[in-house]
Amino acid sequence: MDEGSIQERLLSSKGMDEHNLRRRISMESKKIWRIATPGVISRVSSFGTIVVTQSFIGHISAVDLAGYALVQTLSVRFVNGILVNAFTSNRNKQFKTNLICASQIGMSSATETLCGQAYGAKQYHMMGIYLQRSWIIDLITLLILLPVFIFGTQIFRLLGQAEGIAESAGYISVWFIPFVVSLIFSLTVQMYLQAQQKNLIIAWLSALQFAIHIFCSWLFVYVLDLGLAGAMAALCISSWFLVGGEFVYIFGGWCPDTWKGFSIAATKDLWPVVKLSVSSGLMICLELWYYAILVLLAGYTKDAQVSISAFSICLNINAWIVMIILGLMGAACVRVANELGSGDAKAVRFSIKVIMGTSVTMGIFFWIFCLAFGNKIGYLFTNEEEVAETISRLSVLLAFTVLLGSIFPVLSGVAVGSGLQSKVALINLICFYGIGLPVGIALGYWFNLGVEGIWVGLTGGVLTQTFSLSTLIWRTDWDQEVSKTSARLNQWYLESPENDKHVSGVA
């Protein structure tokens, strides 16, 4: 065979490989976006209700805006992190989203892992059991955490916040209780449906929730002139609309393979689930509480009311954009969990590469967007000139935080899908509290940089966390993770009620 023929064959082979690679990327991208698109819509819409409420309150009263910022960023994040932790541990048990809200997210995150792996292993009936376990654990956890909301005024006084802000925060805290209860069900159900790629219904319900929320906020605040109470009532009504729609979908028979009715099996083996949720929840809590503490620190600067409001608004803008990336995080978790459950390590590696490429591309787009319009965003949330100007000064730092926010959530999703929560929790502890928080305190107070210095510390913590997570995922032996997943699924497997008469349930 002559040299020309050999080169021709090599070029032909290379062309075929490139074609196959493009086809594989296209197929994987379709799988990712089939999962992520409804998740993006639902997360942007659901979190949008919080942002819209903040905007309405910001045009009512500057003091109430600061009070809302404290409760939503501190109390709700704290609790939500713990609760999502419970759902995560539930998921981990099969595998083996603000203080209060943060708690919820942590407990719920385990369900995502467990349900995703159960679905990949075709253990469909276990998904409904994991969902019910998460409800039991979350409700008990929330009951223990309710004093955070009931005694909001006293807590914020003890934390040294101004009297007017503390009183407003205490009033708003009570309004947040029904909202937080709704999160227990909405978050866990979303993870349960997402694992079986049925989250399109969540997207529709969330979009309707957002529309209802805007209408109710306008009606209660401007037409009926109910002020702060009207804004918070609209938030509660729209959040429970979402829960009601989810219940109708599940109980109405649209999940016949995974929902077999309420079962006493859900009350078994709760302690192992609780232990697993600790590591899962700790991973998320450390991250959510980090942001909450930084907002608290902003309350100790010279102009506390302006600093709290501006910092919280920037965090919520960042969080709203990150909600899109969290849709990809959910897809990363589901794809990794599904492929681990099916025993395909190569597919896990390829899926991670495609998801990361997609998220970084989106992060660059929003980075440019924040740089271009950062000096105008503040006026959407407040009429206070000082607050808007402070947000404008933070816009460059906000842009870089958004860019990093396109990377680390997806890496966290990969970790959750593979059950590496305890390692991520350690990384979060070191990066956020060993690096980011001390740097923020030093720059904000010792170097008198105020809220800008605190945000620099925030960005430093996120930067080191992103680098550490990248190293963790890069060094993970996915063949070994496949073996671990198989062992865990077999260990926690229960027979379907249809096949095992000893597992009784209520239809």
Side-chain angles (χ1 to χ4, degrees), residues 112-132:
E112 188 177 3
T113 299
L114 288 174
C115 286
Q117 293 179 355
Y119 188 79
K122 302 186 185 303
Q123 297 177 3
Y124 302 128
H125 68 282
M126 288 299 299
M127 298 176 68
I129 294 176
Y130 293 137
L131 178 62
Q132 293 171 58

Side-chain angles (χ1 to χ4, degrees), residues 284-305:
I284 296 175
C285 288
L286 288 174
E287 183 175 327
L288 291 177
W289 295 350
Y290 173 61
Y291 293 102
I293 291 173
L294 292 174
V295 172
L296 183 63
L297 290 176
Y300 300 133
T301 55
K302 293 181 180 179
D303 196 340
Q305 183 173 303

